[in-house]
Amino acid sequence: MWDSETESVGGRDYKNGGLCSSKHNVKTDGFELKGNSWYVATDIPSDLLVQVGDVNFHLHKYPLLSRSGKINRVIYELRNPDLSKMCLDDLPGGPQAFELAAKFCYGIAVDLTAANISGLRCAAEYLEMTEDLEEGNLIFKTEAFLSYVVLSSWRDSIVVLKSCEKLSPWAENLQIVRRCSESIAWKACANPKGIRWAYTGKPTKVANPNWGDMKDSSPSRSQQVPPDWWFEDVSILRIDHFVRVITAIKVKGMRFELIGAAMMHYASKWLPGLINEGTGTADEGSNSSNSTSNSSGSWKGGLHMILAGNKDESSSVQAKDQRMIIESLISIIPPQKDSVSCSFLLRLLRMANMLKVAPALVTELEKRVGMQFEQATLADLLIPSYNKCETMYDVDLVQRLLEHFLVQEQTEISSPSQQSFPGKHYDDLQRSTGPNAKMRVARLVDSYLTEVSRDRSLSLTKFQVLAEALPESARICDDGLYRAVDSYLKAHPTLSEHERKRLCRVMDCQKLSIDACMHAAQNERLPLRVVVQVLFCEQVKISNALATSSLKEAGDSQYQPMVSNRKTLLEGTPQSFQEGWAAAKKDINTVKFELESVKAKHLELQHDMENLQRQFDKMSKNKQTSAWSSGWKKLSKQLTKNTNLENQNIGPEHTTAADQQTTKTPRKWRNSIS
């Protein structure tokens, strides 16, 4: 749709692209190359030697003077008409461009192609081949070819922009880069229904081609063009030209997720370190990256950096180029949250730290990672420390990423402006934030702490600060944190009792699962006070479980909420701890039976206690008088009884004797008690 209809099958030669001058001042059959020197095939001897780089051109003055203002000025300003040698080492396009310009001056037909037009246009500008010297001069011819042929073709625009890499700053000043970038952007944002695959970097795949099915297999008829059809072609450009194209595409209003996918595809081509350390980044943002990775055809020459020189120079140049690529990619990342994957950002951050990218750009990249930190994985967070830090992994970097995440989340909660995120994107943003995001980050941080705790150089302060960075509501279960604490204690056996207590304060014993409590109760590395807390919490959980079972059997209405809380606790418990839940149930049943026995014994003791209490109450009533008074009463009763018996035995006739005996009784009583 966008390519010229006059291009040949074998290359990019155009029928209307042959340029020649109508005036032949020197009759010639063409140019002849002998070694590193070009000679004009004519009988007239040359009178001017033009040196361009390491190539010599033996030419004639008059054809060049009639069409080049620069050669005119050089010869006549020096006031040396006998000048026979001229050096043009700074000519853009080099010997190839000057050869074509010289042929044009001699009236030899020149074939304009997408590969040579940019160099020839810059050379014509350098030689000042304007309309003031001759109508239809080289500047006019090349400018017309650029405007009407190249910019109307997708592939020619890519080729010209690629060829401008060696023409700075001429191509930039002549607006060739800008015009090609805008042309590419317009075509990339256009409706892809009319695009023919032959004009993009993705040829049609036919297993057994023949004349019958090639017509039927045309993608424009039977296959829909994917939205990322332009990724492969754009990825061959140098980073500065790629930035110009992406910037122009942004202005045209392309979807941010496609722009991010194009950036990840470009990074997979030019930053091999992103792929060597994990999966390809292009697969994360594009659904057709695999189909485009090996389908570049004739474009393969631009996919890799070719570096010359010795090994040290090569490594330094490669590091410099990769640093420039990373800095440029950071500067053009779309501001939307999910434009690129968090894994890509973290790998980019790893390379940025390794290559010592500008600190301001690294900080900006860290903020971008913090925006979608809940999407990160443990493998991406294990970034080595490149700043000669005492730890193996860059724990401070993860701490900063976590702080950016918390700040971003707090900002979104405090000012949830729906106008800033209209439609579906706002709904996705709301789902990605909140408690669920915090819980995912908490699990990620716990796994990271478990991994880095094996490093004996990790200080207790860094471990504690990172573990306590998240609020308590982010963790429903602290089993992951307990594993990290246990791993740290195992790797640091020389910790004092005070340091171990300080370390264990980062976890909440009440949030440990039953299996974790059972493990902690037998863990000799934990302080005794922590073990006691764990046992107490375990006893409380068992009591709650028994109470829940009792309520279930009784059909109490309060049973349902307790079951939901218990389910919530089990859902927050890691899978490794849930596997031992069946064994824990048996232990609970055993403890339940023992508790029933204790309850029966308690009832018996309570019954005995009540009996003792009643007996005590009776005794307390009888203790209203003293022991001596009760003794006197008993003795008086006994004496009264004895007296009555004696009176019955003696009778009335012995009254006198009885009276006498009665008067003697007190003395006998005193003798008896003495």
Side-chain angles (χ1 to χ4, degrees):
M1 181 180 71
W2 291 311
D3 285 294
S4 173
E5 300 296 335
T6 61
E7 60 186 54
S8 63
V9 177
R12 286 281 172 177
D13 298 333
Y14 296 84
K15 293 181 180 179
N16 298 328
L19 299 183
C20 63
S21 176
S22 61
K23 298 179 180 180
H24 293 271
N25 301 307
V26 178
K27 294 182 179 181
T28 176
D29 295 332
F31 280 29
E32 297 177 354
L33 178 62
K34 298 179 181 179
N36 287 336
S37 299
W38 282 95
Y39 295 90
V40 182
T42 180
D43 296 336
I44 302 175
S46 63
D47 57 356
L48 179 63
L49 174 63
V50 180
Q51 186 176 3
V52 181
D54 56 351
V55 180
N56 297 322
F57 293 87
H58 298 272
L59 308 174
H60 302 83
K61 290 182 181 179
Y62 183 75
L64 300 180
L65 292 175
S66 62
R67 294 169 180 84
S68 174
K70 183 177 179 62
I71 295 179
N72 265 291
R73 192 172 65 255
V74 170
I75 292 178
Y76 289 106
E77 284 183 357
L78 293 177
R79 296 181 181 180
N80 186 9
D82 298 330
L83 181 68
S84 60
K85 185 177 181 181
M86 183 180 299
C87 184
L88 301 176
D89 289 334
D90 55 346
L91 184 140
Q96 294 81 9
F98 185 77
E99 175 196 349
L100 298 177
K103 288 181 178 180
F104 175 80
C105 293
Y106 277 89
I108 301 174
V110 177
D111 291 333
L112 296 183
T113 65
N116 62 23
I117 186 62
S118 58
L120 189 58
R121 172 68 181 88
C122 295
E125 189 72 21
Y126 176 87
L127 295 172
E128 301 175 12
M129 302 175 72
T130 62
E131 296 294 294
D132 297 337
L133 297 176
E134 181 180 350
E135 186 178 355
N137 209 343
L138 189 57
I139 291 180
F140 174 80
K141 298 284 188 181
T142 53
E143 189 66 31
F145 186 83
L146 275 172
S147 300
Y148 296 104
V149 178
V150 171
L151 297 181
S152 63
S153 168
W154 164 263
R155 194 167 189 178
D156 286 348
S157 300
I158 296 286
V159 173
V160 171
L161 191 56
K162 180 68 179 175
S163 65
C164 290
E165 295 177 358
K166 299 179 180 179
L167 298 174
S168 299
W170 288 91
E172 191 72 39
N173 295 335
L174 294 175
Q175 305 296 320
I176 300 177
V177 174
R178 180 188 62 80
R179 287 183 288 173
C180 289
S181 300
E182 292 183 353
S183 173
I184 294 170
W186 274 114
K187 295 172 177 60
C189 296
N191 191 346
K193 290 184 179 180
I195 300 173
R196 288 182 290 174
W197 285 71
Y199 296 148
T200 67
K202 303 166 76 172
T204 306
K205 295 182 179 180
V206 181
N208 296 315
N210 55 63
W211 292 107
D213 58 5
M214 284 185 67
K215 182 178 181 181
D216 296 335
S217 63
S218 175
S220 60
R221 295 186 179 184
S222 61
Q223 187 176 359
Q224 185 179 2
V225 178
D228 62 345
W229 62 268
W230 52 276
F231 286 5
E232 186 68 23
D233 292 343
V234 174
S235 66
I236 72 167
L237 300 175
R238 199 174 62 184
I239 184 61
D240 54 340
H241 294 162
F242 177 78
V243 170
R244 294 289 297 271
V245 170
I246 293 298
T247 303
I249 287 176
K250 284 183 179 179
V251 174
K252 302 299 184 294
M254 178 168 284
R255 292 179 296 165
F256 64 88
E257 59 268 18
L258 275 179
I259 296 177
M263 293 175 56
M264 292 190 288
H265 187 85
Y266 185 88
S268 68
K269 295 288 185 181
W270 294 90
L271 299 174
L274 289 176
I275 303 177
N276 293 341
E277 297 172 356
T279 58
T281 55
D283 296 338
E284 299 169 2
S286 172
N287 57 359
S288 61
S289 299
N290 293 331
S291 62
T292 61
S293 60
N294 296 320
S295 60
S296 57
S298 62
W299 303 79
K300 290 182 179 179
L303 295 182
H304 305 284
M305 291 184 292
I306 302 175
L307 303 172
N310 56 35
K311 185 176 292 186
D312 294 337
E313 293 178 355
S314 176
S315 60
S316 61
V317 171
Q318 186 178 13
K320 182 179 179 181
D321 292 340
Q322 290 186 348
R323 186 186 306 114
M324 183 172 60
I325 291 173
I326 292 173
E327 291 178 348
S328 301
L329 290 177
I330 295 174
S331 63
I332 62 173
I333 295 176
Q336 288 80 4
K337 181 176 181 179
D338 294 326
S339 56
V340 292
S341 65
C342 186
S343 178
F344 171 76
L345 293 175
L346 284 169
R347 291 172 185 169
L348 203 64
L349 182 58
R350 175 181 300 193
M351 292 195 70
N353 289 333
M354 181 177 63
L355 297 174
K356 300 187 184 304
V357 172
L361 292 174
V362 173
T363 302
E364 182 65 25
L365 187 57
E366 291 176 359
K367 292 180 180 179
R368 290 305 308 269
V369 175
M371 289 175 59
Q372 47 198 105
F373 192 54
E374 70 277 3
Q375 303 172 7
T377 61
L378 177 60
D380 296 329
L381 281 184
L382 295 176
I383 300 176
S385 180
Y386 298 105
N387 297 326
K388 296 181 180 180
C389 187
E390 67 275 4
T391 57
M392 182 186 305
Y393 297 106
D394 199 343
V395 181
D396 295 333
L397 173 61
V398 178
Q399 175 69 28
R400 293 196 299 271
L401 297 179
L402 187 56
E403 291 175 356
H404 290 312
F405 167 76
L406 294 174
V407 170
Q408 179 69 24
E409 188 188 46
Q410 187 64 31
T411 303
E412 292 173 355
I413 293 175
S414 60
S415 58
S417 177
Q418 189 168 356
Q419 288 78 9
S420 301
F421 305 99
K424 181 180 178 182
H425 178 64
Y426 176 76
D427 298 334
D428 296 339
L429 179 63
Q430 291 296 101
R431 286 194 295 268
S432 63
T433 58
N436 293 331
K438 282 186 179 180
M439 292 177 186
R440 289 195 294 269
V441 171
R443 288 194 293 268
L444 178 64
V445 171
D446 293 346
S447 301
Y448 180 79
L449 286 172
T450 303
E451 187 68 27
V452 301
S453 62
R454 301 184 180 96
D455 184 9
R456 296 191 176 183
S457 301
L458 180 64
S459 64
L460 176 59
T461 302
K462 286 187 176 182
F463 184 94
Q464 186 177 8
V465 169
L466 185 57
E468 295 177 347
L470 287 168
E472 295 182 0
S473 59
R475 292 184 178 92
I476 297 178
C477 181
D478 278 8
D479 287 354
L481 202 55
Y482 168 71
R483 283 197 299 269
V485 170
D486 184 53
S487 178
Y488 190 88
L489 290 173
K490 189 183 299 182
H492 300 77
T494 59
L495 290 178
S496 63
E497 184 71 15
H498 174 71
E499 290 174 336
R500 288 191 295 157
K501 290 180 180 180
R502 176 184 165 192
L503 174 65
C504 294
R505 279 199 294 267
V506 302
M507 63 178 180
D508 187 359
C509 296
Q510 296 181 1
K511 292 184 179 181
L512 296 179
S513 65
I514 294 179
D515 284 353
C517 290
M518 293 173 62
H519 184 277
Q522 303 174 8
N523 194 345
E524 298 179 353
R525 290 181 292 270
L526 295 177
L528 182 59
R529 183 176 181 181
V530 176
V531 174
V532 172
Q533 291 179 355
V534 169
L535 290 174
F536 176 76
C537 294
E538 184 179 7
Q539 184 64 30
V540 171
K541 289 180 181 179
I542 293 175
S543 300
N544 292 336
L546 293 176
T548 303
S549 301
S550 301
L551 289 175
K552 181 179 179 181
E553 294 174 358
D556 199 309
S557 60
Q558 296 180 354
Y559 167 70
Q560 184 62 28
M562 296 184 70
V563 171
S564 62
N565 292 335
R566 182 169 171 266
K567 286 184 177 179
T568 305
L569 179 61
L570 291 178
E571 288 175 358
T573 305
Q575 185 66 28
S576 60
F577 287 147
Q578 293 184 22
E579 293 175 355
W581 178 244
K585 282 186 176 180
K586 295 181 180 179
D587 296 338
I588 291 174
N589 292 332
T590 303
V591 174
K592 181 179 178 181
F593 177 74
E594 293 178 355
L595 286 177
E596 293 295 336
S597 302
V598 172
K599 286 182 179 179
K601 293 181 180 180
H602 176 70
L603 292 176
E604 293 179 3
L605 293 174
Q606 188 175 5
H607 180 68
D608 295 340
M609 185 63 186
E610 291 177 355
N611 293 334
L612 291 174
Q613 185 67 32
R614 285 195 296 269
Q615 293 178 6
F616 180 75
D617 292 339
K618 290 180 180 181
M619 292 177 64
S620 61
K621 291 180 180 179
N622 296 330
K623 289 182 179 180
Q624 293 178 356
T625 57
S626 63
W628 285 102
S629 60
S630 61
W632 283 110
K633 288 182 179 180
K634 289 181 180 181
L635 289 174
S636 61
K637 288 181 180 180
Q638 186 66 30
L639 291 174
T640 305
K641 184 177 179 182
N642 294 333
T643 305
N644 293 333
L645 291 175
E646 290 177 355
N647 292 332
Q648 291 177 3
N649 294 330
I650 296 172
E653 64 273 8
H654 297 89
T655 304
T656 306
D659 295 316
Q660 293 177 357
Q661 185 69 27
T662 303
T663 57
K664 295 179 181 179
T665 300
R667 186 173 182 180
K668 291 180 179 180
W669 172 76
R670 285 195 298 268
N671 291 333
S672 65
I673 64 173
S674 63

